[in-house]
Amino acid sequence: RCIPQAAADLKAIAQEKLLWLDGLMEGKEYVCGARFSLADILLFAFLEFGASVGQPLDPKCERLQAWYARVAARPSTAR
C-alpha cells in the first residue's frame, strides 16, 4: 500500500528524534559515550542515507553535526 502522507510524517518523526538525540549527546564523544560503537555506525549510515534522499541533518543539531564530522574523519569512512 502507498500512503502518500506517510513520507512527510516519517521525515518529521526522524527530525524530532534527531533533535532529541542531539540533546543526549551533551558531553559525549560518541553515541554511547567515549567509545565508538555499533550505534555510531548505524547512525552514520542512517544520516548518509537521509542526506542522499533529501533529508540532511538539521543544522540545529550542533552536537550531532560535530559527532558527524568526527565519524566522517575516521579512516573507515573514507570514500
Side-chain angles (χ1 to χ4, degrees), residues 1 6-7 13 20 26-27 29 33 40 42-43 45 48 53 56 73-74:
R1 295 184 195 180
I13 290 169
W20 169 78
E26 177 84 37
E29 186 173 356
D40 298 288
L42 294 173
L43 179 58
E48 286 283 292
V53 295
R74 294 174 64 89

Side-chain angles (χ1 to χ4, degrees), residues 8-22 46-47 50-51 54-61 64-65:
D9 290 348
L10 292 171
K11 284 181 180 181
I13 290 169
Q15 291 301 316
E16 290 169 10
K17 297 304 179 186
L18 286 170
L19 279 170
W20 169 78
L21 180 58
D22 187 70
F46 173 80
L47 293 175
Q55 189 177 1
L57 181 58
D58 189 332
K60 290 185 281 187
C61 295
L64 284 177
Q65 292 283 355

Side-chain angles (χ1 to χ4, degrees), residues 25-37:
M25 292 293 293
E26 177 84 37
K28 294 182 180 178
E29 186 173 356
Y30 296 108
V31 174
C32 294
R35 274 181 60 190
F36 186 74
S37 70

Side-chain angles (χ1 to χ4, degrees), residues 65-78:
Q65 292 283 355
W67 167 89
Y68 183 87
R70 279 191 300 280
V71 175
R74 294 174 64 89
S76 59
T77 61

